[in-house]
Amino acid sequence: MPKSRIRKKAVYTPPAAAVSNRKKYGSPWVGPAMATFFLIGVAWLVVYYLAESHNVPLPISSWNLLVGFGFLIVGFGLATKWK
């Protein structure tokens, strides 16, 4: 039986300086800002639905859904930056 070939080239390993320059964690403000936007968005929508069911007029009426979901979308956008 023939002998198998021996690997001639060494396996590539990246230099240590390039690996150590990477950020391991995101900015410290991203987590609290993300949670704040999520809470504001959910609270906005809950207040909108409760006020509408009790016939309380709100100043921006039909735009409330857009504002509430806008806060949630910003929160999800920040969630992509959080590590």
Side-chain angles (χ1 to χ4, degrees), residues 19-42:
V19 174
S20 64
N21 288 341
R22 294 182 189 163
K23 286 180 90 175
K24 293 183 179 179
Y25 302 105
S27 298
W29 60 269
V30 173
M34 174 190 66
T36 303
F37 277 106
F38 280 142
L39 290 175
I40 290 173
V42 169

Side-chain angles (χ1 to χ4, degrees), residues 3-4 19 27 44 54 66:
K3 190 175 179 181
S4 62
V19 174
S27 298
W44 192 290
H54 295 291
L66 184 65

Side-chain angles (χ1 to χ4, degrees), residues 59-76:
I60 53 177
S61 64
S62 63
W63 287 91
N64 280 310
L65 286 175
L66 184 65
V67 172
F69 281 114
F71 278 115
L72 291 175
I73 289 170
V74 171
F76 279 116

